[in-house]
Coordinates of all heavy atoms in Angstrom, one line a residue:
M1 N 0.8 -1.2 0.0 CA 0.0 0.0 0.0 C 0.9 1.2 0.0 O 1.6 1.4 0.9 CB -0.8 0.0 1.3 CG -2.2 -0.3 1.1 SD -3.0 0.3 2.5 CE -4.3 -0.9 2.6
Q2 N 0.7 2.0 -1.0 CA 1.4 3.3 -1.1 C 0.5 4.5 -0.9 O -0.5 4.6 -1.6 CB 2.1 3.4 -2.5 CG 3.0 4.5 -2.5 CD 4.4 4.0 -2.9 OE1 4.5 2.9 -3.4 NE2 5.4 4.7 -2.5
S3 N 0.7 5.3 0.1 CA -0.1 6.4 0.3 C 0.8 7.6 0.7 O 1.8 7.4 1.3 CB -1.1 6.2 1.4 OG -0.5 6.0 2.6
D4 N 0.4 8.8 0.4 CA 1.1 10.0 0.7 C 0.8 10.3 2.2 O -0.4 10.5 2.5 CB 0.7 11.1 -0.2 CG 1.2 10.9 -1.6 OD1 2.2 10.1 -1.7 OD2 0.6 11.4 -2.5
T5 N 1.8 10.4 3.0 CA 1.6 10.7 4.4 C 2.0 12.2 4.6 O 3.1 12.6 4.3 CB 2.4 9.8 5.3 OG1 2.1 8.5 5.0 CG2 2.1 10.1 6.7
Y6 N 1.1 12.9 5.2 CA 1.4 14.3 5.6 C 2.2 14.4 6.9 O 1.8 13.8 7.9 CB 0.1 15.2 5.7 CG 0.4 16.6 6.2 CD1 1.0 17.5 5.4 CD2 0.1 16.9 7.5 CE1 1.2 18.8 5.8 CE2 0.3 18.2 8.0 CZ 0.9 19.1 7.1 OH 1.2 20.4 7.5
I7 N 3.4 15.0 6.8 CA 4.2 15.1 8.0 C 4.3 16.6 8.3 O 4.8 17.4 7.5 CB 5.6 14.6 7.7 CG1 5.6 13.1 7.4 CG2 6.5 14.8 9.0 CD1 6.9 12.5 7.0
P8 N 3.7 17.0 9.5 CA 3.7 18.4 9.8 C 5.2 18.9 10.1 O 5.9 18.2 10.7 CB 2.8 18.6 11.0 CG 2.8 17.2 11.6 CD 3.0 16.2 10.4
R9 N 5.5 20.1 9.7 CA 6.8 20.6 9.9 C 6.9 21.4 11.2 O 7.9 21.6 11.8 CB 7.2 21.5 8.7 CG 7.5 20.7 7.5 CD 8.0 21.6 6.4 NE 6.9 22.5 5.9 CZ 7.0 23.7 5.4 NH1 8.2 24.2 5.3 NH2 6.0 24.4 5.1
R10 N 5.8 22.0 11.6 CA 5.8 22.9 12.8 C 4.6 22.4 13.7 O 3.5 22.5 13.4 CB 5.6 24.3 12.4 CG 6.7 24.8 11.5 CD 6.4 26.2 11.1 NE 5.1 26.3 10.4 CZ 4.9 26.6 9.2 NH1 6.0 26.9 8.4 NH2 3.7 26.6 8.6
L11 N 5.0 21.9 14.9 CA 4.0 21.4 15.8 C 3.5 22.5 16.8 O 2.4 22.4 17.3 CB 4.5 20.2 16.6 CG 4.9 19.0 15.7 CD1 5.5 17.9 16.6 CD2 3.6 18.5 15.1
D12 N 4.3 23.5 17.1 CA 4.0 24.4 18.1 C 3.6 25.8 17.6 O 3.9 26.8 18.2 CB 5.2 24.6 19.1 CG 5.5 23.3 19.8 OD1 4.5 22.5 20.1 OD2 6.7 23.0 20.1
D13 N 3.0 25.8 16.5 CA 2.5 27.1 15.9 C 1.4 27.7 16.8 O 0.7 27.1 17.4 CB 2.0 27.0 14.5 CG 3.2 27.0 13.5 OD1 4.3 27.2 13.9 OD2 2.9 26.7 12.3
Q14 N 1.3 29.1 16.7 CA 0.3 29.8 17.4 C -1.1 29.5 16.8 O -1.2 29.1 15.6 CB 0.5 31.3 17.2 CG 1.7 31.8 18.0 CD 1.4 32.2 19.4 OE1 0.3 32.7 19.6 NE2 2.3 31.9 20.3
W15 N -2.2 29.6 17.5 CA -3.5 29.4 17.0 C -3.8 30.5 16.0 O -3.3 31.6 16.2 CB -4.5 29.5 18.1 CG -4.5 28.2 19.0 CD1 -3.6 27.3 19.0 CD2 -5.6 27.9 19.9 NE1 -4.0 26.3 20.0 CE2 -5.2 26.7 20.5 CE3 -6.8 28.5 20.2 CZ2 -6.0 26.1 21.4 CZ3 -7.5 27.8 21.2 CH2 -7.1 26.7 21.7
K16 N -4.5 30.2 14.9 CA -4.7 31.2 13.9 C -6.2 31.4 13.7 O -7.0 30.5 13.9 CB -4.2 30.7 12.5 CG -2.7 30.4 12.5 CD -2.0 31.6 12.3 CE -0.5 31.3 12.1 NZ 0.3 32.4 12.0
I17 N -6.6 32.6 13.4 CA -8.0 32.9 13.0 C -7.8 33.5 11.6 O -7.4 34.7 11.4 CB -8.6 33.9 13.9 CG1 -8.8 33.3 15.3 CG2 -10.0 34.4 13.4 CD1 -9.4 34.3 16.3
G18 N -8.1 32.7 10.6 CA -7.8 33.1 9.2 C -6.3 33.1 9.0 O -5.6 32.1 9.2
F19 N -5.7 34.3 8.6 CA -4.3 34.4 8.5 C -3.6 35.0 9.7 O -2.4 35.1 9.7 CB -4.0 35.3 7.3 CG -4.4 34.8 6.0 CD1 -5.5 35.3 5.2 CD2 -3.8 33.6 5.5 CE1 -5.9 34.8 4.0 CE2 -4.2 33.1 4.3 CZ -5.2 33.6 3.5
W20 N -4.4 35.4 10.7 CA -3.8 36.2 11.8 C -3.7 35.3 13.0 O -4.5 34.4 13.3 CB -4.7 37.4 12.2 CG -4.9 38.3 11.0 CD1 -4.0 39.2 10.6 CD2 -6.0 38.3 10.1 NE1 -4.5 39.9 9.5 CE2 -5.7 39.3 9.2 CE3 -7.2 37.7 10.0 CZ2 -6.6 39.7 8.1 CZ3 -8.0 38.0 9.0 CH2 -7.7 39.0 8.1
D21 N -2.7 35.6 13.9 CA -2.6 34.9 15.2 C -3.8 35.2 16.0 O -4.3 36.3 15.9 CB -1.3 35.3 15.9 CG 0.0 34.8 15.2 OD1 -0.1 33.8 14.4 OD2 1.0 35.4 15.4
A22 N -4.2 34.3 16.9 CA -5.4 34.5 17.7 C -5.2 35.8 18.6 O -6.2 36.5 18.8 CB -5.7 33.3 18.5
D23 N -4.0 36.0 19.2 CA -3.9 37.1 20.1 C -3.9 38.4 19.4 O -4.2 39.5 20.0 CB -2.6 37.0 21.0 CG -1.4 36.8 20.2 OD1 -1.5 36.6 18.9 OD2 -0.3 36.8 20.8
V24 N -3.6 38.5 18.1 CA -3.7 39.7 17.3 C -5.1 39.9 16.8 O -5.6 41.1 16.8 CB -2.7 39.6 16.1 CG1 -2.9 40.8 15.2 CG2 -1.3 39.6 16.6
A25 N -5.8 38.9 16.5 CA -7.2 39.0 16.0 C -8.2 39.2 17.1 O -9.3 39.8 16.8 CB -7.5 37.8 15.2
F26 N -7.9 38.8 18.3 CA -8.9 38.9 19.4 C -9.4 40.4 19.6 O -10.6 40.6 19.7 CB -8.3 38.3 20.7 CG -9.3 38.5 21.8 CD1 -10.4 37.7 21.9 CD2 -9.0 39.4 22.8 CE1 -11.3 37.9 23.0 CE2 -9.9 39.6 23.8 CZ -11.0 38.8 23.9
P27 N -8.5 41.4 19.7 CA -9.1 42.8 19.9 C -10.0 43.2 18.8 O -11.0 43.9 19.1 CB -7.8 43.7 20.0 CG -6.7 42.8 20.3 CD -7.0 41.4 19.7
F28 N -9.7 42.9 17.6 CA -10.6 43.3 16.5 C -11.9 42.5 16.5 O -13.0 43.1 16.4 CB -9.9 43.0 15.1 CG -10.7 43.5 14.0 CD1 -10.9 44.8 13.8 CD2 -11.3 42.6 13.1 CE1 -11.7 45.3 12.7 CE2 -12.0 43.0 12.0 CZ -12.2 44.3 11.8
V29 N -11.9 41.2 16.8 CA -13.1 40.5 16.8 C -14.0 40.9 18.0 O -15.2 41.1 17.9 CB -12.8 38.9 16.9 CG1 -14.1 38.1 17.2 CG2 -12.1 38.5 15.6
F30 N -13.3 41.1 19.2 CA -14.1 41.6 20.4 C -14.7 43.0 20.1 O -15.8 43.2 20.5 CB -13.1 41.6 21.6 CG -13.8 42.1 22.8 CD1 -14.7 41.2 23.5 CD2 -13.6 43.3 23.4 CE1 -15.4 41.6 24.6 CE2 -14.3 43.7 24.5 CZ -15.1 42.9 25.1
S31 N -14.0 43.9 19.5 CA -14.5 45.2 19.2 C -15.7 45.1 18.2 O -16.6 45.9 18.3 CB -13.4 46.2 18.8 OG -12.9 45.8 17.5
L32 N -15.6 44.2 17.2 CA -16.7 44.0 16.3 C -18.0 43.6 17.1 O -19.1 44.1 16.8 CB -16.4 43.0 15.2 CG -15.5 43.5 14.1 CD1 -15.2 42.4 13.1 CD2 -16.0 44.7 13.4
F33 N -17.8 42.7 18.1 CA -18.9 42.3 18.9 C -19.5 43.4 19.7 O -20.7 43.6 19.8 CB -18.4 41.1 19.8 CG -19.5 40.7 20.8 CD1 -20.6 40.0 20.3 CD2 -19.4 41.0 22.1 CE1 -21.6 39.6 21.2 CE2 -20.3 40.5 23.0 CZ -21.4 39.8 22.6
V34 N -18.6 44.2 20.3 CA -19.1 45.4 21.1 C -19.8 46.4 20.1 O -20.8 47.0 20.5 CB -17.9 46.1 21.8 CG1 -18.3 47.4 22.5 CG2 -17.4 45.1 22.9
G35 N -19.2 46.6 19.0 CA -19.8 47.5 18.0 C -21.2 47.0 17.6 O -22.1 47.8 17.4
Y36 N -21.4 45.7 17.4 CA -22.7 45.1 17.1 C -23.7 45.4 18.2 O -24.8 45.6 18.0 CB -22.5 43.6 16.8 CG -23.8 42.9 16.6 CD1 -24.5 43.1 15.4 CD2 -24.4 42.1 17.6 CE1 -25.7 42.4 15.2 CE2 -25.6 41.5 17.3 CZ -26.2 41.6 16.1 OH -27.4 41.0 15.9
L37 N -23.2 45.3 19.5 CA -24.1 45.5 20.6 C -24.5 47.0 20.7 O -25.6 47.3 21.3 CB -23.4 45.1 21.9 CG -23.1 43.7 22.1 CD1 -22.4 43.4 23.4 CD2 -24.4 42.9 22.1
T38 N -23.8 47.9 20.1 CA -24.2 49.3 20.2 C -25.5 49.6 19.3 O -26.2 50.6 19.5 CB -23.1 50.3 19.7 OG1 -22.8 50.0 18.3 CG2 -21.9 50.1 20.6
S39 N -25.7 48.8 18.3 CA -26.9 48.8 17.5 C -27.0 50.1 16.6 O -28.0 50.5 16.2 CB -28.2 48.7 18.3 OG -28.2 47.5 19.0
T40 N -25.8 50.8 16.4 CA -25.8 51.9 15.5 C -24.6 51.7 14.5 O -23.6 51.1 14.9 CB -25.6 53.2 16.3 OG1 -24.3 53.2 17.0 CG2 -26.7 53.5 17.3
K41 N -24.8 52.3 13.4 CA -23.7 52.2 12.4 C -22.5 53.0 12.8 O -21.4 52.5 12.6 CB -24.2 52.7 11.0 CG -25.2 51.8 10.4 CD -25.7 52.3 9.1 CE -26.8 51.4 8.5 NZ -27.3 52.0 7.2
L42 N -22.7 54.1 13.4 CA -21.6 55.0 13.8 C -20.8 54.3 15.0 O -19.6 54.2 15.0 CB -22.1 56.3 14.3 CG -21.0 57.3 14.8 CD1 -20.0 57.6 13.7 CD2 -21.6 58.5 15.4
G43 N -21.5 53.7 15.9 CA -20.9 53.0 17.0 C -20.1 51.8 16.5 O -19.0 51.5 17.0
F44 N -20.7 51.1 15.5 CA -20.0 49.9 15.0 C -18.7 50.3 14.3 O -17.7 49.7 14.4 CB -20.9 49.2 14.0 CG -20.4 47.9 13.4 CD1 -20.4 46.8 14.2 CD2 -19.8 47.9 12.2 CE1 -19.8 45.6 13.7 CE2 -19.3 46.8 11.6 CZ -19.3 45.6 12.4
A45 N -18.8 51.4 13.5 CA -17.6 51.9 12.8 C -16.5 52.4 13.8 O -15.4 52.1 13.5 CB -18.0 53.1 11.9
I46 N -16.9 53.1 14.8 CA -16.0 53.5 15.8 C -15.3 52.3 16.5 O -14.1 52.3 16.7 CB -16.6 54.5 16.8 CG1 -17.0 55.8 16.2 CG2 -15.7 54.7 18.0 CD1 -17.8 56.7 17.0
C47 N -16.1 51.4 16.9 CA -15.5 50.2 17.6 C -14.6 49.4 16.6 O -13.6 48.8 17.0 CB -16.7 49.3 18.1 SG -17.5 50.0 19.5
A48 N -15.0 49.3 15.3 CA -14.2 48.5 14.4 C -12.9 49.3 14.2 O -11.8 48.6 14.1 CB -14.9 48.4 13.0
A49 N -12.9 50.6 14.1 CA -11.7 51.3 14.0 C -10.8 51.2 15.2 O -9.6 51.0 15.1 CB -12.0 52.8 13.7
A50 N -11.4 51.2 16.4 CA -10.6 51.1 17.6 C -10.0 49.7 17.7 O -8.9 49.5 18.1 CB -11.5 51.3 18.8
G51 N -10.8 48.7 17.3 CA -10.3 47.3 17.2 C -9.1 47.1 16.3 O -8.2 46.4 16.6
M52 N -9.2 47.7 15.1 CA -8.2 47.6 14.1 C -6.9 48.3 14.7 O -5.8 47.8 14.5 CB -8.5 48.3 12.8 CG -7.5 48.0 11.7 SD -8.1 48.3 10.1 CE -9.5 47.2 10.0
Y53 N -7.1 49.4 15.4 CA -5.9 50.1 16.0 C -5.3 49.3 17.0 O -4.1 49.1 17.1 CB -6.4 51.5 16.6 CG -5.3 52.2 17.3 CD1 -4.3 52.8 16.7 CD2 -5.3 52.1 18.7 CE1 -3.2 53.4 17.4 CE2 -4.3 52.7 19.4 CZ -3.2 53.4 18.8 OH -2.2 54.0 19.5
L54 N -6.1 48.6 17.9 CA -5.6 47.8 19.0 C -4.9 46.5 18.4 O -3.8 46.1 18.9 CB -6.7 47.3 19.9 CG -7.2 48.4 20.9 CD1 -8.4 47.9 21.6 CD2 -6.1 48.8 21.9
S55 N -5.4 46.0 17.3 CA -4.8 44.8 16.7 C -3.5 45.2 16.1 O -2.5 44.4 16.2 CB -5.7 44.2 15.6 OG -6.8 43.6 16.2
R56 N -3.4 46.3 15.5 CA -2.1 46.8 14.9 C -1.1 47.0 16.0 O 0.1 46.7 15.9 CB -2.3 48.1 14.1 CG -3.2 47.9 12.8 CD -2.4 47.4 11.7 NE -1.4 48.3 11.3 CZ -0.4 48.0 10.5 NH1 -0.4 46.8 9.9 NH2 0.5 48.9 10.2
W57 N -1.6 47.6 17.1 CA -0.7 47.9 18.2 C -0.1 46.6 18.8 O 1.1 46.5 19.1 CB -1.4 48.7 19.3 CG -0.6 49.0 20.5 CD1 0.4 49.9 20.6 CD2 -0.6 48.3 21.8 NE1 1.0 49.8 21.9 CE2 0.3 48.8 22.6 CE3 -1.4 47.2 22.2 CZ2 0.6 48.4 23.9 CZ3 -1.2 46.8 23.5 CH2 -0.2 47.4 24.3
V58 N -1.0 45.6 19.0 CA -0.6 44.3 19.5 C 0.4 43.6 18.6 O 1.4 43.1 19.0 CB -1.8 43.4 19.8 CG1 -1.3 41.9 20.0 CG2 -2.6 43.9 20.9
S59 N 0.1 43.7 17.3 CA 1.0 43.1 16.3 C 2.4 43.8 16.3 O 3.4 43.1 16.2 CB 0.4 43.3 14.9 OG 1.2 42.8 13.9
R60 N 2.4 45.1 16.4 CA 3.7 45.8 16.4 C 4.5 45.6 17.7 O 5.7 45.5 17.7 CB 3.5 47.3 16.2 CG 3.1 47.6 14.8 CD 3.0 49.0 14.5 NE 2.5 49.3 13.2 CZ 2.4 50.4 12.6 NH1 2.6 51.5 13.3 NH2 2.0 50.5 11.4
T61 N 3.7 45.5 18.8 CA 4.4 45.2 20.1 C 5.0 43.8 20.1 O 6.0 43.6 20.7 CB 3.3 45.4 21.3 OG1 2.8 46.7 21.2 CG2 4.0 45.1 22.6
K62 N 4.3 42.9 19.5 CA 4.7 41.5 19.5 C 5.8 41.2 18.5 O 6.4 40.1 18.6 CB 3.5 40.6 19.2 CG 3.6 39.2 19.4 CD 2.2 38.6 19.1 CE 2.4 37.5 18.0 NZ 1.3 36.7 17.8
A63 N 6.0 42.1 17.6 CA 7.0 41.8 16.5 C 8.4 41.6 17.1 O 8.8 42.3 18.0 CB 7.0 43.0 15.5
D64 N 9.1 40.7 16.5 CA 10.5 40.4 16.9 C 10.6 39.9 18.4 O 11.7 40.2 19.0 CB 11.5 41.5 16.6 CG 11.5 41.9 15.2 OD1 11.4 40.9 14.4 OD2 11.7 43.0 14.8
K65 N 9.6 39.4 18.9 CA 9.6 38.8 20.3 C 9.3 37.4 20.3 O 9.0 36.8 19.2 CB 8.7 39.6 21.2 CG 9.1 41.1 21.4 CD 8.2 41.7 22.4 CE 8.8 43.1 22.8 NZ 8.7 44.1 21.8
H66 N 9.3 36.7 21.4 CA 9.0 35.3 21.5 C 7.6 35.1 21.0 O 6.7 35.9 21.3 CB 9.1 34.9 23.0 CG 9.1 33.5 23.2 ND1 7.9 32.8 23.4 CD2 10.0 32.5 23.2 CE1 8.1 31.5 23.6 NE2 9.4 31.3 23.5
P67 N 7.3 34.0 20.4 CA 5.9 33.7 19.9 C 4.8 33.7 21.0 O 3.7 34.1 20.8 CB 6.0 32.3 19.3 CG 7.4 32.1 19.0 CD 8.2 32.9 20.0
A68 N 5.2 33.4 22.2 CA 4.2 33.4 23.3 C 4.4 34.7 24.2 O 4.1 34.7 25.4 CB 4.4 32.2 24.2
F69 N 4.8 35.8 23.6 CA 5.0 37.0 24.3 C 3.7 37.5 25.0 O 3.7 38.0 26.1 CB 5.5 38.1 23.3 CG 5.5 39.5 23.9 CD1 6.4 39.9 24.8 CD2 4.5 40.4 23.5 CE1 6.4 41.1 25.3 CE2 4.5 41.7 24.1 CZ 5.5 42.0 25.0
A70 N 2.6 37.4 24.3 CA 1.3 37.8 24.9 C 1.0 37.1 26.1 O 0.5 37.6 27.1 CB 0.2 37.7 23.9
M71 N 1.2 35.8 26.1 CA 0.9 35.0 27.3 C 1.9 35.3 28.5 O 1.5 35.4 29.6 CB 1.0 33.5 27.0 CG 0.6 32.6 28.1 SD 0.6 30.8 27.7 CE 2.3 30.5 27.4
H72 N 3.1 35.5 28.1 CA 4.1 35.9 29.2 C 3.7 37.3 29.7 O 3.8 37.5 31.0 CB 5.5 36.0 28.6 CG 6.0 34.6 28.1 ND1 7.1 34.5 27.3 CD2 5.5 33.4 28.4 CE1 7.3 33.2 27.1 NE2 6.4 32.5 27.7
W73 N 3.4 38.2 28.9 CA 3.0 39.6 29.4 C 1.8 39.5 30.3 O 1.7 40.1 31.3 CB 2.7 40.5 28.2 CG 2.2 41.8 28.7 CD1 3.0 42.9 29.0 CD2 0.9 42.2 28.9 NE1 2.2 43.9 29.4 CE2 0.9 43.5 29.3 CE3 -0.4 41.6 28.7 CZ2 -0.3 44.3 29.6 CZ3 -1.5 42.3 29.0 CH2 -1.5 43.6 29.4
A74 N 0.8 38.7 29.9 CA -0.4 38.5 30.7 C -0.1 37.9 32.0 O -0.7 38.3 33.1 CB -1.5 37.6 29.9
H75 N 0.8 37.0 32.1 CA 1.2 36.4 33.4 C 1.8 37.4 34.3 O 1.5 37.4 35.5 CB 2.1 35.2 33.2 CG 2.7 34.7 34.5 ND1 1.9 34.0 35.4 CD2 3.9 34.8 35.0 CE1 2.7 33.7 36.4 NE2 3.9 34.1 36.3
W76 N 2.7 38.3 33.8 CA 3.4 39.2 34.7 C 2.5 40.5 34.9 O 2.7 41.1 36.0 CB 4.7 39.6 34.1 CG 5.7 38.4 34.2 CD1 6.1 37.6 33.2 CD2 6.3 37.9 35.4 NE1 6.9 36.6 33.6 CE2 7.1 36.8 35.0 CE3 6.3 38.3 36.7 CZ2 7.8 36.1 35.9 CZ3 7.0 37.6 37.6 CH2 7.8 36.5 37.2
A77 N 1.7 40.9 34.0 CA 1.0 42.1 34.2 C -0.4 42.0 34.8 O -0.9 42.9 35.4 CB 0.9 42.8 32.8
L78 N -1.1 40.9 34.6 CA -2.5 40.8 35.1 C -2.5 40.1 36.4 O -1.6 39.3 36.8 CB -3.3 40.0 34.1 CG -3.4 40.6 32.7 CD1 -4.2 39.7 31.8 CD2 -4.1 42.0 32.8
P79 N -3.5 40.4 37.2 CA -3.6 39.8 38.6 C -3.8 38.3 38.5 O -4.5 37.8 37.6 CB -4.7 40.5 39.3 CG -5.5 41.0 38.2 CD -4.6 41.3 37.0
A80 N -3.3 37.6 39.4 CA -3.4 36.1 39.4 C -4.7 35.8 40.1 O -5.1 36.4 41.2 CB -2.3 35.4 40.1
N81 N -5.5 34.8 39.6 CA -6.6 34.3 40.3 C -6.6 32.8 40.0 O -5.8 32.3 39.3 CB -7.9 35.0 39.8 CG -8.2 34.8 38.3 OD1 -7.8 33.7 37.7 ND2 -8.7 35.8 37.6
P82 N -7.5 32.0 40.7 CA -7.4 30.6 40.5 C -7.6 30.1 39.1 O -7.1 29.0 38.7 CB -8.6 30.1 41.4 CG -8.8 31.2 42.4 CD -8.5 32.4 41.7
I83 N -8.2 30.9 38.2 CA -8.4 30.5 36.8 C -7.1 30.7 36.0 O -6.7 29.8 35.2 CB -9.6 31.2 36.2 CG1 -10.9 30.9 36.9 CG2 -9.7 30.9 34.7 CD1 -12.0 31.7 36.5
T84 N -6.4 31.8 36.2 CA -5.2 32.1 35.4 C -3.9 31.7 36.1 O -2.9 31.9 35.5 CB -5.2 33.6 35.1 OG1 -5.1 34.3 36.3 CG2 -6.4 34.0 34.3
A85 N -4.0 31.3 37.3 CA -2.7 31.0 38.1 C -2.1 29.7 37.4 O -2.7 28.7 37.1 CB -3.0 30.7 39.5
L86 N -0.8 29.8 37.3 CA 0.0 28.7 36.8 C 0.7 28.0 37.9 O 1.2 28.6 38.9 CB 1.1 29.2 35.8 CG 0.6 29.9 34.6 CD1 1.7 30.5 33.8 CD2 -0.3 29.0 33.7
R87 N 0.7 26.7 37.9 CA 1.2 25.9 39.1 C 2.7 25.8 39.0 O 3.3 25.6 40.1 CB 0.5 24.6 39.1 CG -1.0 24.7 39.3 CD -1.6 23.4 39.3 NE -3.1 23.6 39.3 CZ -4.0 22.7 39.5 NH1 -3.6 21.5 39.7 NH2 -5.3 23.1 39.5
A88 N 3.3 25.7 37.9 CA 4.7 25.5 37.8 C 5.6 26.7 37.9 O 6.8 26.6 38.0 CB 5.0 24.8 36.4
T89 N 5.0 27.9 38.0 CA 5.7 29.1 38.1 C 5.3 29.9 39.4 O 4.1 29.7 39.8 CB 5.4 30.1 36.9 OG1 4.1 30.3 36.8 CG2 5.9 29.4 35.6
P90 N 6.1 30.7 39.9 CA 5.7 31.5 41.1 C 4.7 32.5 40.7 O 4.5 32.9 39.6 CB 7.1 32.1 41.5 CG 7.9 32.2 40.3 CD 7.5 31.0 39.5
P91 N 4.0 33.1 41.7 CA 3.1 34.2 41.5 C 3.8 35.4 40.9 O 5.0 35.6 41.1 CB 2.5 34.5 42.8 CG 2.8 33.3 43.7 CD 4.0 32.7 43.1
S92 N 3.1 36.2 40.1 CA 3.7 37.2 39.4 C 4.2 38.4 40.3 O 5.0 39.2 39.9 CB 2.8 37.8 38.3 OG 1.7 38.4 38.9
H93 N 3.7 38.4 41.5 CA 4.2 39.5 42.4 C 5.5 39.2 43.0 O 6.2 40.0 43.6 CB 3.1 39.8 43.5 CG 3.0 38.6 44.5 ND1 2.1 37.6 44.3 CD2 3.6 38.4 45.7 CE1 2.2 36.8 45.3 NE2 3.0 37.2 46.2
L94 N 6.0 38.0 42.9 CA 7.4 37.6 43.4 C 8.4 37.9 42.2 O 8.5 37.1 41.3 CB 7.4 36.1 43.8 CG 6.6 35.7 45.0 CD1 6.7 34.2 45.2 CD2 7.0 36.5 46.2
R95 N 9.1 39.0 42.3 CA 9.9 39.4 41.3 C 11.4 38.8 41.4 O 12.1 38.7 40.4 CB 10.0 40.9 41.2 CG 8.7 41.6 41.0 CD 8.1 41.3 39.6 NE 6.9 41.9 39.5 CZ 6.1 41.9 38.4 NH1 6.6 41.3 37.4 NH2 5.0 42.5 38.3
R96 N 11.8 38.5 42.6 CA 13.1 38.0 42.8 C 13.1 36.5 43.0 O 12.3 36.0 43.7 CB 13.8 38.6 44.0 CG 14.1 40.1 43.8 CD 14.9 40.6 44.9 NE 15.3 41.9 44.7 CZ 16.3 42.5 45.3 NH1 16.9 41.9 46.2 NH2 16.6 43.7 45.0
M97 N 14.0 35.8 42.3 CA 14.1 34.4 42.5 C 15.5 34.0 42.9 O 16.4 34.6 42.5 CB 13.8 33.6 41.1 CG 12.4 33.8 40.7 SD 12.1 32.6 39.4 CE 10.9 33.5 38.5
V98 N 15.6 33.1 43.8 CA 16.9 32.6 44.3 C 17.2 31.3 43.5 O 16.4 30.4 43.5 CB 16.8 32.3 45.8 CG1 18.1 31.8 46.3 CG2 16.4 33.6 46.5
G99 N 18.4 31.3 43.0 CA 18.7 30.1 42.3 C 19.6 30.3 41.1 O 19.9 31.3 40.6

């Protein structure tokens, strides 16, 4: 039996929404949802423009950094709670490590 087998070259790629990484597309998609909730064309346009601006900002901030930069930033900048707390790393308020 001869069959063509697909062998993936990259196993740890970021999640994609269309052509965009999920963390870049999220601000735009969320702002479209908020714009839809406003029920006005002007509100939708303003929210879409703000979402595009935020997505561009995230994309430029993330450029030339580690692929998981957004997750690392969220761990150190956002407050820890039982849902977002990581078990293998210390809490984000502990800045000094001995070792």
Side-chain angles (χ1 to χ4, degrees):
M1 253 198 213
Q2 190 120 22
S3 65
D4 293 333
T5 304
Y6 174 73
I7 300 173
R9 291 184 290 150
R10 300 174 302 245
L11 296 176
D12 296 330
D13 278 351
Q14 292 270 323
W15 286 15
K16 302 278 186 186
I17 297 177
F19 294 112
W20 301 282
D21 291 340
D23 55 351
V24 173
F26 176 74
F28 183 68
V29 172
F30 181 74
S31 66
L32 286 180
F33 176 70
V34 171
Y36 176 74
L37 292 178
T38 62
S39 301
T40 62
K41 291 180 183 178
L42 179 63
F44 185 79
I46 290 172
C47 288
M52 187 163 302
Y53 174 76
L54 285 173
S55 291
R56 296 278 297 168
W57 178 77
V58 168
S59 175
R60 289 182 183 184
T61 302
K62 191 177 124 167
D64 297 330
K65 290 186 173 72
H66 190 271
F69 170 75
M71 186 174 64
H72 295 166
W73 177 85
H75 172 71
W76 289 105
L78 299 177
N81 61 36
I83 296 172
T84 61
L86 301 176
R87 296 178 189 189
T89 59
S92 64
H93 67 273
L94 296 177
R95 301 294 179 175
R96 291 185 174 200
M97 290 191 211
V98 178

